[in-house]
Amino acid sequence: MSSAYLYSILATAAIFTLLALSLNIITGYAGQAMMGIAAFFGIGAYTAAVITTNGGHFVLGLLAGMLMAGVCGAVLGVISLRLQADFLAITTIGINFVMVAVFNRLKITGGTLGLTVKKPVLFGVRMNNKYFFYMTVVLIIILCLLLVKMRRSWFGMALASINNDPGAARSFGINVNRYQILAFTIGSAVAGLAGGIYAHRMGFISATDFAFVVSIQVVSMVVIGGLGTLRGPIFGALLISSLPEILRFADDYRELVYGLLLVLMVRFMPQGLIGEDSPIWLLLTKIWRRFFPKKKTRADLIAESAKGGGH
Amino acid sequence: MEELMRIEGLKMYFGGLKAIDGFDLSIYKGETLGIIGPNGAGKTTLFNAICGVYVPTAGKVIFEGKEVQGTPAHEMAKKGISRTFQISKPLSGLTIFDNVVAAAGVHEYTGIRSYFHKAHTKDVEDRAEEVIREVGLAEVANKKASDVSLGYLRRLEIARALITQPKLIMLDEPCAGLSNFAINEITQLILNLKEKGQSIVLIEHNLPITMKVCDRITVLSYGKKIAEGTPEEVRTDKQVIEAYLGEEDD
Ligand SMILES: Nc1ncnc2c1ncn2[C@@H]1O[C@H](COP(=O)(O)OP(=O)(O)O)[C@@H](O)[C@H]1O
Ligand SMILES: [Mg+2]
């Protein structure tokens, strides 16, 4: 395998990891059905592409793509307040199809012909797959650090509460609507960022790049890895991205394989391969704990003292 | 006695169904007020209409001198009105401890700004531990809420309400479905709160408990108040005996 080829696979995998993490914010953390993440991926991609083809800087393009996708995500967030989970899923599928149609029709997006995007120059070097890969990895690391901080903050507590029971969340002061909109906004903005990178890495985009199957692919990544964890979507994205390489022979049946994997997973291992409480992850932590005993949490200490104290 | 909350002409209609149909009530600081009535009388709906889960069809809810009817539930919690749910609403994926911590953040959920404040501070954990011990949840503190029994979930409801340091705590059938032993423990817990001067509204189907714990009792039937008074007065009220107590003798 040539290194150019390797970096092309790695760059794609990294971009999809970012996309999987974006979906995980909306569906994994906030618990909102989202079956149309590719629409926001596309909004970010076209926005960034239009900016740079009109002479804007690459970084400006990425930021604009994030902003545009974030604003559209906020609008969807507002719409989501009126919808129950099933209807939200269907609505987001609909949005995906509508956006593909829009990309196909608008002049600014190049219509059915698509857009050719010049490879950007960053810090004096023309970006190739290798640079796109490293750049995306850096962004993934930054995002992960931000997400770890989020999980420990009251913001993370709010999303976890809403995900578990919105009624309970309201009863202790959480403005569910506001946090739901925020989750859609942030998740969509990250998807938009991934889109901006994607457009420039590909050098050419057209509406089919953001079709509904792409959304399903990202859903598979998150679900197969493990919804609501940080490691799950990353693992899922890497796995699914390398699948075409592993399953070369089954190229024609790729979508079938994703679909089948997704269905089997939801049916038999809804926690995902390495998600919270998945058998594999429990086993791995058990082995890990042999060598590195668990640091006791405050909750563990309270429980122990109650049992030891002869209650 | 100082009035904490006053409800005037409260109505809650669901289409043609008049779940609450013109209800008046005063709740005084430091008292324990019982609300009883047969199943379907509208007790839970009354809580929901007061706490902002529903916007009342008509009427006023006055809390500390201000009209608050129609205020969303999350704002009510911040104002100091905290309620428990008859059907427990645990955050199943979190530990009991984290369930209580989540509720401790009642004034912290400020939107984007809440990103910059850590949830598990020493102060919050100390307060959570105190409440967890107070309500008897210590032995399951590190268990996932999905893994504990109903008795613990009922205590969790109370713990989450308590940690918001409410001016008024509203308990919706905290003993329903529990064993006699657990009922006694919860009753004792409510008596302890009362001792501390907590203002309490208690919906309870179990009459002996209500009689034992409450200073005053309001009786609800088909969305209307049919009696109100001390436990003794209510026990001997003819209408109450017909509407409610009668069914117990069947
Ligand atoms: N959201 C709702 N929509 C329609 N009807 C409702 C709703 N909530 C309660 N009800 C009806 O209101 C009446 C009172 O119910 P509820 O308040 O739960 O009674 P209780 O708590 O006294 O047993 C019942 O007839 C119930 O079916
Ligand atoms: Mg009820």
Side-chain angles (χ1 to χ4, degrees):
Chain A
M1 209 189 288
S2 74
S3 86
Y5 181 61
L6 180 69
Y7 277 119
S8 120
I9 296 169
L10 286 176
T12 307
I15 291 168
F16 273 86
T17 303
L18 203 53
L19 200 50
L21 286 169
S22 81
L23 177 65
N24 194 44
I25 294 170
I26 299 170
T27 305
Y29 295 154
Q32 301 301 308
M34 166 60 127
M35 306 290 282
I37 196 75
F40 299 87
F41 185 49
I43 290 169
Y46 279 109
T47 306
V50 166
I51 296 268
T52 57
T53 46
N54 286 294
H57 193 271
F58 177 46
V59 175
L60 180 72
L62 291 184
L63 289 176
M66 263 180 97
L67 187 70
M68 187 67 107
V71 169
C72 295
V75 173
L76 174 59
V78 172
I79 295 171
S80 79
L81 302 178
R82 306 250 156 246
L83 298 173
Q84 294 299 311
D86 311 354
F87 288 104
L88 180 56
I90 293 165
T91 303
T92 52
I93 294 172
I95 286 173
N96 202 154
F97 279 99
V98 168
M99 282 320 296
V100 168
V102 169
F103 297 149
N104 263 329
R105 293 287 184 294
L106 284 185
K107 212 172 195 162
I108 199 166
T109 58
T112 43
L113 295 175
L115 270 188
T116 305
V117 192
K118 268 215 312 262
K119 295 272 166 175
V121 176
L122 201 61
F123 304 120
V125 281
R126 189 156 293 278
M127 301 270 294
N128 60 19
N129 279 329
K130 184 169 151 189
Y131 291 109
F132 279 113
F133 167 64
Y134 286 124
M135 177 189 149
T136 312
V137 168
V138 169
L139 289 173
I140 290 169
I141 292 169
I142 294 172
L143 178 63
C144 286
L145 292 175
L146 291 172
L147 289 175
V148 167
K149 185 172 153 53
M150 187 205 81
R151 299 270 271 173
R152 294 183 180 149
S153 71
W154 288 115
F155 192 97
M157 210 44 132
L159 294 192
S161 302
I162 294 168
N163 190 1
N164 277 282
D165 194 316
R170 288 192 185 92
S171 80
F172 47 80
I174 295 175
N175 184 339
V176 171
N177 293 2
R178 182 194 287 184
Y179 279 95
Q180 208 164 302
I181 295 170
L182 281 171
F184 272 103
T185 309
I186 297 167
S188 303
V190 175
L193 173 66
I197 301 170
Y198 179 82
H200 290 83
R201 168 222 175 308
M202 297 306 285
F204 172 77
I205 50 171
S206 69
T208 46
D209 292 343
F210 312 106
F212 177 58
V213 280
V214 178
S215 294
I216 290 300
Q217 198 174 327
V218 182
V219 170
S220 326
M221 291 171 176
V222 176
V223 170
I224 288 170
L227 200 63
T229 62
L230 208 49
R231 58 183 182 269
I234 296 174
F235 176 74
L238 295 179
L239 185 73
I240 300 279
S241 301
S242 53
L243 225 70
E245 305 311 315
I246 302 166
L247 298 174
R248 285 261 104 163
F249 60 92
D251 221 23
D252 297 337
Y253 306 101
R254 221 149 71 187
E255 274 153 29
L256 188 76
V257 173
Y258 295 145
L260 214 61
L261 270 177
L262 185 62
V263 170
L264 289 176
M265 211 61 203
V266 170
R267 174 66 186 81
F268 295 107
M269 218 193 239
Q271 319 90 335
L273 285 176
I274 57 168
E276 196 75 15
D277 289 337
S278 87
I280 298 173
W281 186 252
L282 288 180
L283 184 72
L284 287 176
T285 34
K286 210 166 150 192
I287 297 168
W288 176 260
R289 289 279 150 73
R290 283 251 176 101
F291 302 100
F292 305 94
K294 185 183 173 214
K295 196 170 156 275
K296 288 200 173 100
T297 62
R298 183 72 176 264
D300 292 329
L301 295 173
I302 297 170
E304 270 174 25
S305 79
K307 283 167 191 152
H311 250 276
Chain B
M1 268 198 299
E2 201 184 335
E3 196 177 59
L4 182 62
M5 181 184 275
R6 187 165 79 247
I7 295 156
E8 289 177 3
L10 195 74
K11 290 182 182 166
M12 187 71 234
Y13 295 174
F14 299 109
L17 181 83
K18 300 176 173 180
I20 300 292
D21 195 15
F23 184 81
D24 303 289
L25 180 70
S26 283
I27 299 156
Y28 299 99
K29 272 191 186 153
E31 81 166 333
T32 301
L33 177 87
I35 297 177
I36 61 172
N39 261 328
K43 306 181 294 296
T44 299
T45 303
L46 179 64
F47 268 24
N48 286 335
I50 293 173
C51 295
V53 175
Y54 302 142
V55 177
T57 312
K60 285 183 187 166
V61 178
I62 297 151
F63 184 66
E64 294 187 309
K66 289 193 199 79
E67 283 189 28
V68 295
Q69 69 275 8
T71 308
H74 63 93
E75 294 287 343
M76 285 298 202
K78 289 179 181 163
K79 286 183 195 293
I81 303 170
S82 199
R83 62 86 61 91
T84 68
F85 294 96
Q86 179 176 357
I87 298 164
S88 311
K89 290 183 181 290
L91 309 175
S92 309
L94 306 190
T95 61
I96 295 292
F97 185 72
D98 280 351
N99 265 265
V100 178
V101 167
V106 61
H107 297 295
E108 302 283 349
Y109 296 117
T110 47
I112 209 80
R113 266 177 300 153
S114 59
Y115 179 84
F116 300 98
H117 300 280
K118 198 172 159 247
H120 282 262
T121 59
K122 170 111 178 27
D123 170 58
V124 165
E125 292 198 335
D126 286 348
R127 280 173 45 218
E129 174 166 357
E130 192 185 328
V131 170
I132 278 175
R133 290 193 188 285
E134 185 181 352
V135 303
L137 279 170
E139 64 257 36
V140 293
N142 59 351
K143 284 239 168 72
K144 277 233 175 106
S146 53
D147 296 341
V148 305
S149 62
L150 180 68
Y152 287 123
L153 291 181
R154 282 279 151 69
R155 289 162 201 264
L156 175 60
E157 287 285 330
I158 300 175
R160 280 199 316 216
L162 278 180
I163 201 157
T164 67
Q165 299 176 321
K167 292 169 183 155
L168 179 64
I169 189 168
M170 304 175 63
L171 307 170
D172 194 349
E173 302 207 29
C175 297
L178 298 187
S179 69
N180 281 336
F181 179 74
I183 289 176
N184 282 336
E185 287 195 330
I186 302 266
T187 309
Q188 192 53 50
L189 177 61
I190 297 171
L191 286 171
N192 291 346
L193 294 179
K194 187 177 165 156
E195 189 78 11
K196 285 190 194 167
Q198 174 74 55
S199 311
I200 305 170
V201 180
L202 171 69
I203 293 179
E204 190 45 69
H205 208 67
N206 182 319
L207 277 176
I209 297 175
T210 323
M211 299 284 171
K212 182 171 161 194
V213 178
C214 296
D215 305 310
R216 268 188 328 135
I217 293 176
T218 287
V219 188
L220 202 60
S221 178
Y222 294 107
K224 286 196 161 85
K225 187 196 286 187
I226 58 166
E228 186 171 284
T230 62
E232 200 47 46
E233 286 165 357
V234 166
R235 200 205 311 267
T236 51
D237 188 286
K238 232 175 73 195
Q239 256 190 304
V240 176
I241 294 168
E242 269 172 30
Y244 184 44
L245 304 183
E247 75 174 18
E248 308 269 295
D249 294 335
D250 289 346

